[in-house]
Amino acid sequence: GFQVLASASHYWPLEDVDGIHEFRDSNGDIVEGMVNKGIYVTEEKGVTFLFFGSYKNSCISNPEVCGPEGVTFSFFWKTQDQQTRFPSASGGQVISSGFKICSNEGEGSVEFYTRGNAMMKWKASFSPPGPYWTHILFTWKSREGLKVYVNGTLNTTDPSGKVFYDYGDPSANLLTGTEGDQTKRYVNGAFDEFIIWERALTANEIEQYFTAAIGVQVVLSSALPGSVMTTTASPVLSMNAYHPIITNLTEERRKFHFPDIMLNYLGNISLNLPNKSLSENTALLLTEAFLNVVEDFLSLPAWTDKSKTAPIFGGLIETVDCVMVHVAHHLAENLLPGTIEGTSPVADYSLAKMYPQTLNLSHYRFPSKGQSYISIPSEAFHKTAWITIVGLLYHNMHYFFHNIDPMDTKIPEAAAYKGYMISATSYLISLKVEPPPTLSHNLSGSPLITIHLTHKLTSKQYSLAVNKSNKVHLYCAFLDY
């Protein structure tokens, strides 16, 4: 990870912060940068300035000249409190002619600009940090657009950007900590470890640097310039690849205020889980942390009006499925059979990876208790070496599948009732088995698969159902992604 840092174009360690490890030379003095020509000044007002200079027509101030290699900006950021001794590199904004970093009303964002024949703008939003150090890193490449990583994990992206006609002064200096009109302050916080690479780091390099920055101290030898010697310190986090993700999920809880940002955050988590095996304990922690954030999403005030929410929550369920399947698939095979079971405010869940012969019952049933369940004969599993099973019984998700136009569904019987809205009236349940069970009419289990659901009518649904002048139609349905 520190070899990644050693390849940086510019490096400002700033303060000596507990929990964030940095380069030092052999005498213990902070190395003020690899190719660093900027100035670091602490003003009497307690505001820290980083003045990088103009760098006109360089990759730093004009991303369009970065070429296919792109550019990367990295820093640690936290909300500034009054008691801290760290200088507040806050002021107005982190800004240059090429990008700016903003925090406003619970939303953080990175905006990136190019000024060629077609002026372009890329913007990616994320949840800003709280009063703890959070690593923010963003890369930009002309072909891949903007990617924002939070605590070593891809958080949000803007791959295509859009045409933009005006942004500030094209010759603006790159400056952190600008003083100015209080009403126009964008960033309120302290910064540490500001780094620039004149190339886009890979996801693996980003994870390596973040892990080193929070868990390993480094000595930069003055006798052998450029060589890096590492000594382990008391790590803030385990080297387990999943722990930064679990930490990020835990710390980001209740910081989201915008549904689209939160859904994008969950989607990025699901698409960027590492291809590493999981212990049962880590699998349980990851499952709980992810479902906790889903719980926060369901609790957003935006959902008080539950009309027209079915497509959004269909996508959410697909995202949850993706994460749970990943966890089940990556349970360490040397721990087989492995089962993660539990309940959360969002859902009852069971994630299993096992040999079929360990199923001693005539039927596999999820959940094992209750009046809503799915049951499959054990015989259906016996032709495979090992199986993964993911079961989810959502407690309240069905409430968000209301006011659905029959024409927006693929239920043929409902199409005849155009103009009458339909709603889910039972829990949502899913069971994913891989490889798929071998279903045959020769199986002794009859029926082959049993799905038993308890209906949970709202008071309005109940009053409509008991009204003898109404016709009530019930359909068995599934979500088609």
Side-chain angles (χ1 to χ4, degrees), residues 334-356:
N334 61 335
L335 300 175
L336 264 58
T339 301
I340 307 297
E341 291 183 328
T343 185
S344 77
V346 174
D348 295 338
Y349 57 88
S350 178
L351 316 177
K353 189 173 185 179
M354 64 181 72
Y355 300 109

Side-chain angles (χ1 to χ4, degrees), residues 29 36 51 55 84 128 132 152 154 156 193 208 263 287 304 351 354 359 377 390 400 404 443-444 447 452 454 470:
D29 298 324
N36 173 5
F51 181 69
Y55 293 98
T84 183
Y132 43 79
L154 182 64
T156 184
E193 295 289 295
Q208 287 177 342
L263 194 59
T287 299
T304 52
L351 316 177
M354 64 181 72
L359 286 169
V390 176
F400 298 95
I404 302 169
L443 291 175
S444 60
H452 191 278
T454 302
N470 290 330

